[in-house]
Amino acid sequence: MSKFPIKSIFEQIAEQVFTMRNPVQAKQFITEFVNGKDINDEDKKLILRNISSIKTMDKIQSYICNSLLRYEGLSVNK
């Protein structure tokens, strides 16, 4: 099994995360999804660390959007 590109992970979770309203459930979904994928351990740790510190749904959605854009070179944040 090959490693998934990190952009691919965000693409796969974005649609579901954007339909969720509960930040705890969204964080749990993202954590379980990322842990279940064969991605680079450093990328996995970074995603999980970033998600664990986010408290609101709008911040979770913003993180997902910015992460997708970042890996396309279009992020609004550094």
Side-chain angles (χ1 to χ4, degrees):
M1 184 178 208
S2 64
K3 300 272 185 196
F4 281 91
I6 193 167
K7 178 184 166 200
S8 173
I9 295 298
F10 288 112
E11 287 173 334
Q12 292 175 53
I13 62 176
E15 188 174 340
Q16 270 193 277
V17 169
F18 277 88
T19 63
M20 295 179 170
R21 296 291 172 246
N22 182 309
V24 173
Q25 289 175 340
K27 288 166 65 168
Q28 181 178 358
F29 168 74
I30 294 166
T31 299
E32 289 173 2
F33 189 91
V34 170
N35 279 326
K37 294 297 181 182
D38 184 27
I39 63 171
N40 177 291
D41 283 338
E42 290 303 312
D43 290 339
K44 187 180 286 191
K45 288 176 189 174
L46 177 64
I47 294 167
L48 296 176
R49 184 173 56 243
N50 289 339
I51 284 297
S52 71
S53 67
I54 299 173
K55 305 291 185 220
T56 65
M57 203 60 221
D58 62 326
K59 296 287 187 189
I60 292 170
Q61 293 169 341
S62 179
Y63 172 74
I64 298 296
C65 281
N66 281 331
S67 295
L68 270 169
L69 292 170
R70 182 176 302 120
Y71 294 101
E72 293 178 2
L74 303 170
S75 178
V76 294
N77 295 328
K78 297 285 182 212

